[in-house]
Amino acid sequence: MKPYMKVSLAALAIGVGVWVGSVYSNTAIGAGTSQPGTADDPVVTKSYVDQQIQKALNGGTNAGSGSSAGNNSGSTGTGSTGGDTSLPPVVSGASDAVEIVTVKPGQQLIGASGAEFIVRSGKAVIVSEGTNGVADLTDGVDLTNGQAAPTNHLLSFPRDGRGITVLDGNKYSLTVMVRGGYSLK
C-alpha cells in the first residue's frame, strides 16, 4: 500500500472517530435534562421513600405539607423526613425460620397449611388423604399419596393433614428442612 494511501486512511479514520464521538456526546448531554428532585428524576432519596411510605401508612395524608391539620397519625416531625418512619411489625401465621427435623422410620412429618419441606437426606414418600397431594415446586408436579418425595426439592403443603414419612423397609432416618408449622407423629 502506498504511503499517501496510509496517511489518507488514517486521517479519514480520525475524522470519523471525532464525528462519532461528538454525536454520542450530544446524545449523552440530552439524556440528563431532568432536574434533580423532580418527579422525572429516576434517582430518589431515602427521605422521599420514607415520606411515601409514611403517606401510604397514614391512609394518604400528606405528612410533608408542613400543616398538621387533618393529620391524625400522631407522629411528630418537621415534614422534611416524613415524621416517624418506623414500619409496623409484619405479622404472619407461620415462622419464616427454617428448622432441621429428623424423621425416624415409622414416624410421619405432617405439615400445616402453607408449610414447606425440603428432604435433604433419606428416602421419603408422600402421606396424603384423598386424591390430592403435595406440590413439588421444583419440578412443577403434584405428588400423590405413596409417591417418592425427591431429595433437594421444595415441597409445598397447601392443606393440613399431608406430609412425608420414611420409605417402608428403609432403616435410615430422614433429614428435612422445614419452614412453617408441622407435627411429628
Side-chain angles (χ1 to χ4, degrees):
M1 186 180 256
K2 302 218 182 236
Y4 70 89
M5 287 292 281
K6 288 182 183 178
V7 172
S8 298
L9 286 176
L12 180 65
I14 290 172
V16 168
V18 168
W19 178 75
V20 168
S22 67
V23 167
Y24 281 119
S25 174
N26 286 339
T27 304
I29 289 170
T33 58
S34 67
Q35 280 292 93
T38 63
D40 295 333
D41 186 13
V43 179
V44 295
T45 61
K46 182 183 180 304
S47 64
Y48 174 78
V49 173
D50 290 342
Q51 284 176 354
Q52 296 305 315
I53 290 172
Q54 193 64 31
K55 191 179 189 182
L57 290 176
N58 290 338
T61 60
N62 189 359
S65 66
S67 161
S68 62
N71 187 355
N72 60 0
S73 68
S75 65
T76 58
T78 62
S80 62
T81 61
D84 182 17
T85 59
S86 62
L87 296 176
V90 177
V91 178
S92 63
S95 170
D96 285 337
V98 175
E99 286 187 55
I100 306 298
V101 179
T102 302
V103 182
K104 296 181 174 119
Q107 289 183 321
Q108 290 183 349
L109 181 63
I110 305 297
S113 178
E116 296 175 339
F117 294 175
I118 298 176
V119 179
R120 295 293 291 152
S121 66
K123 304 273 186 199
V125 292
I126 301 297
V127 175
S128 176
E129 301 165 356
T131 58
N132 293 328
V134 174
D136 180 353
L137 300 179
T138 305
D139 278 345
V141 296
D142 195 40
L143 302 174
T144 57
N145 190 30
Q147 249 183 318
T151 56
N152 299 318
H153 281 224
L154 180 60
L155 306 175
S156 177
F157 294 82
R159 295 190 182 183
D160 293 336
R162 300 173 188 183
I164 58 174
T165 188
V166 179
L167 180 67
D168 287 337
N170 195 354
K171 61 182 180 175
Y172 300 107
S173 298
L174 298 175
T175 303
V176 184
M177 292 173 57
V178 179
R179 178 181 296 152
Y182 70 95
S183 63
L184 200 55
K185 296 181 182 180

